[in-house]
Amino acid sequence: MNISRREFFKRTAAIAGATIIGSGVPVLAGAKTPSELSKGNTANAKNWKIWTERHEAGVHDERYGVLVDTTLCIGCRRCEWACNEWNKNANRPIKEFEASVNEANSVFNKIRRMHAGNFTVVNRFKNPRDGNPLYVKRQCMHCEDPGCSSSCFVEAYRKSEKGSVLYNPHVCIGCRYCMLACPFDVPAYEYHDALNPQITKCTMCYDRITEPGFVPACVEICPAGVMRFGKREDLINLAHEKINSNPGKYVDHVYGEHEVGGTSWLYLSPVPFELIGFKTDIGKTPIPQLTKGYLTMVKMFEIVGAWPLVFGAYYAISKARKKTSHETSSEKGEGHGGKH
């Protein structure tokens, strides 16, 4: 099913309305987790710097990706631990992650999404075939033609040749259009950093995969072989081979091969993807093609409309300074006259 431009704008307007009407900080039930309170992330800036250096040096890469076989995941959450560890996010002992699968009051009791301080999460679903649990790892999908990039008028996003979608916090102005544009609800925001908040997201360990022999931290630590890192084209061929060689084991679909123009992360599932938390109504058309005209108008408004706001603010500040200066001078004059 292909999503229409009208439907896309309806959804965007609904999300934008909720964002504008609500407070700047989302209301979350219960105590905030360390990942929600996280601030001062350095991983995105680090990876952007590496990309910039490689780009300026004229280094070219082949397109890579990760194939996830959800039938193999055991829910150990070691990938979450490794991601936090590598990216210097708030972390806990690895045993606490592994214990979640058997806990009564477990993180698996609700469907989670990524927050400022965790770039990946594993959720649990029930297999309708046999009632057994299905564990699904989620993170940035690293779209081939990313909506976050097209929505950003300060060009804080780039799709690297290697496959990673990278973010530059140094130019970001915090408009959060990227959060609205992402069809997978990936970009997170440091809501609890009052001075210098930034967007945070998975980088597909760009700093690792650009080094010979290295794979993403989550792929390396997985004990069940759930994920395979490799050239995107080879992974797609492998995925279809697994489907054809195992009749009835997988649904006949590789999620990410064509969704919104294709993604660098690809998935296999034993059940329809909508049953394990994936959106199946986003179509094959890349998000930028749906939003090109609309976002051009938005960018023009930002450029044209920002100047009156800037000059208005400057005028108000200047007027306030002059008033303060005049009052100060008057006070000094009265004091001087009283001495004579």
Side-chain angles (χ1 to χ4, degrees), residues 62-105:
E62 291 186 86
R63 181 73 91 235
Y64 276 71
V66 177
L67 175 62
V68 183
D69 187 340
T70 60
T71 67
L72 300 175
C73 187
I74 59 176
C76 69
R77 298 177 61 213
R78 286 188 177 191
C79 53
E80 291 188 40
W81 179 87
C83 178
N84 290 338
E85 195 74 8
W86 180 258
N87 292 295
K88 296 181 171 55
N89 288 328
N91 213 2
R92 304 188 308 281
I94 193 170
K95 290 183 178 180
E96 292 186 24
F97 287 85
E98 294 173 328
S100 302
V101 73
N102 296 314
E103 292 175 337
N105 185 23

Side-chain angles (χ1 to χ4, degrees), residues 120-285:
T120 187
V121 296
V122 178
N123 287 317
R124 181 166 61 194
F125 300 88
K126 191 174 184 178
N127 189 329
R129 292 179 176 177
D130 53 23
N132 290 325
L134 278 172
Y135 297 96
V136 182
K137 178 188 182 298
R138 297 300 299 271
Q139 69 297 303
C140 177
M141 295 291 287
H142 298 278
C143 301
E144 289 294 285
D145 193 357
C148 57
S149 179
S150 69
S151 72
C152 182
F153 65 91
V154 295
E155 299 183 345
Y157 286 90
R158 285 288 186 278
K159 172 72 173 180
S160 70
E161 287 187 347
K162 196 79 172 181
S164 303
V165 174
L166 303 172
Y167 160 77
N168 180 7
H170 299 305
V171 300
C172 177
I173 63 169
C175 69
R176 288 169 281 167
Y177 290 163
C178 56
M179 297 178 72
L180 299 177
C182 177
F184 302 108
D185 304 319
V186 168
Y189 191 68
E190 293 179 340
Y191 286 102
H192 297 276
D193 188 338
L195 298 178
N196 189 33
Q198 59 178 296
I199 293 289
T200 68
K201 62 178 288 296
C202 159
T203 66
M204 205 162 85
C205 284
Y206 185 75
D207 50 344
R208 291 173 61 92
I209 65 176
T210 49
E211 294 293 331
F214 280 81
V215 300
C218 57
V219 176
E220 182 175 62
I221 201 171
C222 180
V226 175
M227 293 165 280
R228 179 172 297 197
F229 177 75
K231 295 178 183 178
R232 184 175 185 271
E233 185 177 346
D234 293 343
L235 294 177
I236 291 173
N237 292 334
L238 173 62
H240 284 291
E241 182 181 321
K242 294 183 76 168
I243 291 172
N244 295 330
S245 300
N246 299 276
K249 183 176 181 179
Y250 305 100
V251 293
D252 189 9
H253 183 69
V254 180
Y255 194 93
E257 181 179 5
H258 299 297
E259 275 73 14
V260 291
T263 61
S264 289
W265 279 70
L266 307 159
Y267 285 80
L268 290 173
S269 172
V271 299
F273 282 96
E274 62 269 21
L275 299 182
I276 55 172
F278 286 88
K279 294 181 180 179
T280 55
D281 61 349
I282 54 178
K284 299 180 180 181
T285 305

